[in-house]
Amino acid sequence: MIYDNILVKDLSDEIRYITINRPKQLNALNKQTIEELHDALDKAEKDEKIRVVIITGSGQKAFVAGADIKEFMHFTPEEGQALSETGHRLLFDFVEQMQTPVIAAINGYALGGGLELALSSHIRLASENARMGLPEVSLGVIPGYGGTQRLAQHIGKGRALEMIITARQIDAQTAYDYGLVSEVVPQEKLLDRAVEYAQMILRNSPQAIGLAIAAVNAAYSREGFRTENELFGRAFATEDFKEGTTAFVERRKPDFGKKG
Ligand code: CAA
C-alpha cells in the first residue's frame, strides 16, 4: 500500500504499524491524510490476519499537531460542519468502532485533532516528551473531531472542560496522572512497548475483543457528537475564528472580540 502522507508497515503477520508522515507540518491532519488513514484502517479491519494496529507520527517531535489549520482557515460554516462530520465518519468514529484494536503511540505533540485521534484509539501510550491538549479555542473554534465528548469520557467533565477552555497543554506525566494514557515510556522504547501491548491482545479471542469494544462504546450517546458538529461549524462564522487562525499563520497573539 503506497500513500503520500502515511506509511504502512507490518511488524508481523498480525501487527500493522501506521505512521502519519507529514513531519514538516508536524503531521497535521489534512483531508488527504484523513482519507488515506481511513483507507489503510479499513484494509486492516478487513484483513483477517491483522489483529492490532499501532498508529504513530513520524519524526521525534509530533504525534499529530491537529487538524490542518491552513487548509480550513477560509472555510464557510457549512464547510466547517462538513469537515467535522466527514472526519468523524472517516477517522474518529471509524477508529473507535473498529473491532481490530488500535494503539496510539503518542510520540510528541498530540494537539487538537491529534489528541482526538488518540482519544478515539483503544489504548494510548505516551513518550516522555509527549504533550497533549485541545487548543482549538485559542484559534476561535472548538474541538471538532470528538474532543468535546471523548476527553470528558476519558478524564471526566471537570478536567476536560478546564483543559478545553484554558487551551493548555499537559505533559505526559500529567496525562498519566489524569488517566489519559496507560503508560509513559522513553521515546526510544515507545514502539517496543506498543508491540508488547499488541502481544497481550494477540493472546485473546479476536471475536470477544470486537464484542467488548462494541459493548464499551454502547455506553455513550451520539447526541453530543451531533451537537459538536453543529457548533464547530457555527464557530466558522465568527470574527474570532478569522482572527485566531490568521494569528496562528502570522505567528502572533490573537486579538479576540467580545462574548457571544
Ligand atoms: N496545521 C497546519 N500547520 C501546522 C499545524 C497545524 N495544526 N501545526 C503545526 N503546523 C506547521 C506550522 O505552521 C509550521 O509550518 P511552517 O514551517 O510552514 O511555518 C510547522 O508545522 C512547524 O510548526 P511550528 O513552527 O509552529 O513549530 P513549534 O515547535 O514552534 O510549535 C506547536 C509546535 C506548539 C505544535 C505549534 O506548531 C502549534 O501550536 N500548532 C498548532 C496546534 C493546534 O492549534 N492544533 C489544533 C488545530 S485545530 C483542530 O485540530 C480542529 C479540530 O478539532 C477539528
Side-chain angles (χ1 to χ4, degrees), residues 104-126:
I106 307 170
N107 58 315
Y109 286 113
L111 301 175
L115 180 55
E116 290 169 305
L117 179 58
L119 291 168
S120 297
S121 303
H122 304 104
I123 296 177
R124 283 155 298 287
L125 307 175

